[in-house]
Amino acid sequence: MRIGHGYDVHRFGPGEAVVLCGVRIPHTHGVLAHSDGDVALHALCDALLGAIAAGDIGHHFPDTDARYRGADSRTLLRACFAMVGAAGFALANADITIVAERPRIASHVGAMRAHIAADLDSPLAAISVKATTSEGLGFCGRGEGIAAHAVVLLCRADEADA
Ligand code: MG
């Protein structure tokens, strides 16, 4: 088995929505980002890449590359998952925690999990998305940005069906 961890932060900026786990959520701000700024999927990508010791998304999809301008992070997620498969591993489960005072996440969790389950070819029961505030403390608490943590467990693909 392999464990991977990912962490990402994006700063709020002008805009009227944020994208989290592929779900567009109306908000008083957007996030500053080269891609769609989906912190949750960026953390998940880094967890997948970390589990196979394949670097990070900044390495594979550099923000200096115009091809990734405004990129749909679900496309990046599927590309990372393809690397996991090529390395001989399958997903056992993934767990994501989004840290933000606003916007509220709870009503969107079902759609978020469904997107990830589809992109990672996994059952919903293997995909967890949850959110917390930081009780007004730190940059998330001050409403300056959003952070996300992700952990994944991979198993050898040839043992996944056993
Ligand atoms: Mg990012």
Side-chain angles (χ1 to χ4, degrees):
M1 294 183 290
R2 296 285 185 87
I3 291 173
H5 169 258
Y7 175 68
D8 193 35
V9 171
H10 280 272
R11 179 189 292 270
F12 282 129
E16 52 198 28
V18 297
V19 178
L20 292 168
C21 300
V23 178
R24 188 177 185 276
I25 303 173
H27 188 46
T28 55
H29 295 79
V31 295
L32 301 177
H34 186 72
S35 69
D36 62 7
D38 192 328
V39 282
L41 293 192
H42 294 176
L44 181 55
C45 285
D46 272 352
L48 290 168
L49 294 173
I52 57 170
D56 58 40
I57 55 169
H59 171 75
H60 292 283
F61 313 106
D63 62 10
T64 51
D65 189 327
R67 282 179 299 168
Y68 305 120
R69 183 161 193 81
D72 179 346
S73 294
R74 292 185 66 186
T75 302
L76 307 184
L77 177 62
R78 290 192 289 268
C80 291
F81 190 57
M83 288 182 237
V84 166
F89 287 92
L91 183 75
N93 74 299
D95 183 20
I96 295 169
T97 302
I98 299 165
V99 186
E101 302 296 313
R102 294 278 189 279
R104 293 296 186 180
I105 308 296
S107 62
H108 303 286
V109 162
M112 293 175 172
R113 292 175 64 211
H115 284 165
I116 295 169
D119 292 340
L120 302 187
D121 195 22
S122 296
L124 265 184
I127 309 297
S128 166
V129 176
K130 54 203 191 307
T132 183
T133 72
S134 60
E135 297 285 338
L137 300 173
F139 68 86
C140 289
R142 291 189 296 270
E144 296 169 359
I146 300 181
H149 302 261
V151 290
V152 299
L153 182 68
L154 308 182
C155 52
R156 298 289 319 178
D158 53 11
E159 296 171 359
D161 300 325

